[in-house]
Amino acid sequence: ASKVKVGGQKVQEEITKKEYPEVSQLKKVLRSYLDDYSRMIELEYRYFGGKISRREFKSIHDKIRGDISRYEREASRLFSTIRGSYPEFTAKTKNIENLVLSLQAKSASFREMGTSYIGKRISKESFKEHAEKAVDEITDLIAKIRSEVEML
């Protein structure tokens, strides 16, 4: 994208849309993905902490998870297209892909911890201490990915 800063980010985004439609679409998909991912982590934290019922959790979680899967497929397709068509974006997209993989790994670890807590394999105190730290790390990682996406 052009580095012109004539009216702030809106001008930058319009230039990106015209010159690189796939990059613009990827940004949109990743924004939605990160929004839903944040909602899912918050929902899981509330569920593991006993704040919502299993039934409520399951119905909301399944819908969010379905949307996230759809965004992942679309992002994967766009990453591939961008790598093949716009080599100038390869380093940035590779960095974002790596950050997303880190996000998925941290989230899986958090889910495992929550499952262990529900299964009474770890204490409430241990869960609270480690879960808050894990959610903070996940939140920071989501913010970092958002920042990288906006720099595309």
Side-chain angles (χ1 to χ4, degrees), residues 51-134:
K51 306 287 187 220
I52 59 172
S53 70
R54 179 171 170 74
R55 172 184 255 176
E56 183 181 2
F57 169 77
K58 188 115 176 75
S59 69
I60 297 169
H61 188 268
D62 289 351
K63 189 218 178 297
I64 294 173
R65 187 72 227 152
D67 290 344
I68 286 173
S69 293
R70 189 170 35 86
Y71 295 136
E72 287 173 339
R73 286 190 302 275
E74 181 67 7
S76 178
R77 183 188 69 75
L78 289 165
F79 277 129
S80 179
T81 300
I82 290 167
R83 269 194 307 274
S85 303
Y86 310 114
E88 63 270 30
F89 287 100
T90 300
K92 287 182 179 182
T93 56
K94 185 81 170 154
N95 186 40
I96 292 170
E97 285 178 297
N98 288 335
L99 289 170
V100 168
L101 285 173
S102 294
L103 174 64
Q104 292 168 346
K106 282 189 185 307
S107 299
S109 176
F110 169 68
R111 263 181 228 101
E112 180 63 30
M113 185 181 1
T115 302
S116 293
Y117 172 63
I118 286 177
K120 307 235 185 278
R121 292 186 299 272
I122 62 173
S123 70
K124 183 176 185 174
E125 294 76 23
S126 290
F127 172 73
K128 278 190 164 200
E129 177 185 334
H130 293 285
E132 286 178 17
K133 182 179 173 197

